Amino acid sequence: SARSEPPAMARLITSPSNETLKRVRALREKKYRAREGLFLAEGMRIVAEAIEAGHLPRMLIHAEEAAAHPLLQRLVAATEAGGGDVIVTTTDILAKLSGKDNPQMLLGVFAPVARTLADIDRGAAFAWVVCQSLKDPGNLGTILRTCDAVGAGGVILLDAGCDPYSVEAVRASMGALFTNHIVQAAGGDFFAWLREGPAQLVGASLNASMDYQAPRYVAPTFLFMGNEQSGLPPDYEAQCDLLVKIPMRGRADSLNLAVAAARGEWLVRVDAHSTIP
């Protein structure tokens, strides 16, 4: 069959030494994401989620053989209508850009949405997740997916931790990165902001004696998770209204952080039917 022609406004680039493609490939590294103010998202599903949530890509790069795909055509049209650049290339080059041997047929380049604590409407959701020095981008992506699933507001990242716009975090979020608020802040700034309005700060801690199913949660609840290895620092635990833990029936003393956050979010969703006055 005849090869599909790229859209009229698209550029066909098949040279891996092309400067635009080299800049896109560099976005796999944090320092270049910070310098360019851009990040990568792979796959039609994730890019479609982004566009449906109102986040248009600055650039869309897709394989020649995928040009006739109906969803891809809609994503290309939306990108071009928003002033974005569309590039058609080969699967070999897409593999180099994504760092995967079997790349997705589509790669989007997006600008992060800059949000601060002041942008958060705490009453817009029954719960928010707060993570201190979260290290694993896969955990962050999974937490964002859970936030999307239960209708939580999003994630507040405190102190130094993983980059929410890394390829791994974006991939693990499966598009939830674009449907949730993400805010990065220092611990002291967060606690000052938190006390300016209604909030129940619930810390997950091995030092707690209370089963996480025992308390009555009220909205807005801020579910506070610590670092994967060391948990919440003592001075952060002291800021919490409640400290809870998930009982362990086996030999392990803790769950994976993303799994623990998910259990907490589902419980808070069921319980937090009343609001803090």
Side-chain angles (χ1 to χ4, degrees), residues 131-145:
C131 296
Q132 191 266 337
S133 295
L134 180 64
K135 299 301 183 187
D136 187 337
N139 279 339
L140 175 56
T142 302
I143 290 170
L144 285 166
R145 289 181 70 183

Side-chain angles (χ1 to χ4, degrees), residues 183-239:
V183 172
Q184 296 173 283
D189 293 338
F190 167 71
F191 294 125
W193 170 83
L194 190 73
R195 300 312 176 194
E196 291 174 357
Q200 182 185 46
L201 184 62
V202 179
S205 171
L206 291 176
N207 300 318
S209 58
M210 184 182 295
D211 186 312
Y212 82 116
Q213 299 174 91
R216 179 171 176 269
Y217 298 101
V218 288
T221 290
F222 290 79
L223 186 59
F224 201 3
M225 315 294 293
N227 174 271
E228 290 96 336
Q229 283 74 43
S230 54
L232 289 172
D235 56 333
Y236 282 26
E237 287 191 355
Q239 297 279 348

Side-chain angles (χ1 to χ4, degrees), residues 141-165:
T142 302
I143 290 170
L144 285 166
R145 289 181 70 183
T146 306
C147 284
D148 185 78
V150 304
V155 177
I156 301 170
L157 300 171
L158 303 187
D159 309 330
C162 66
D163 181 1
Y165 301 104

Side-chain angles (χ1 to χ4, degrees), residues 39 49-50 52-55 111-116 119-121 124-130 140-157 164-165 169-170 172-184 265:
F39 68 96
E49 290 275 1
E52 288 173 12
H55 301 277
V113 177
R115 289 191 176 102
T116 67
D119 297 320
I120 291 180
D121 175 6
F126 68 91
W128 302 78
V129 177
V130 186
L140 175 56
T142 302
I143 290 170
L144 285 166
R145 289 181 70 183
T146 306
C147 284
D148 185 78
V150 304
V155 177
I156 301 170
L157 300 171
Y165 301 104
V170 177
S173 81
M174 293 299 293
L177 178 89
F178 298 101
T179 58
N180 286 268
H181 282 71
I182 300 175
V183 172
Q184 296 173 283
E265 284 187 77

Side-chain angles (χ1 to χ4, degrees), residues 261-272:
R263 292 189 68 171
E265 284 187 77
W266 283 108
L267 180 62
V268 172
R269 180 191 183 191
V270 172
D271 200 43

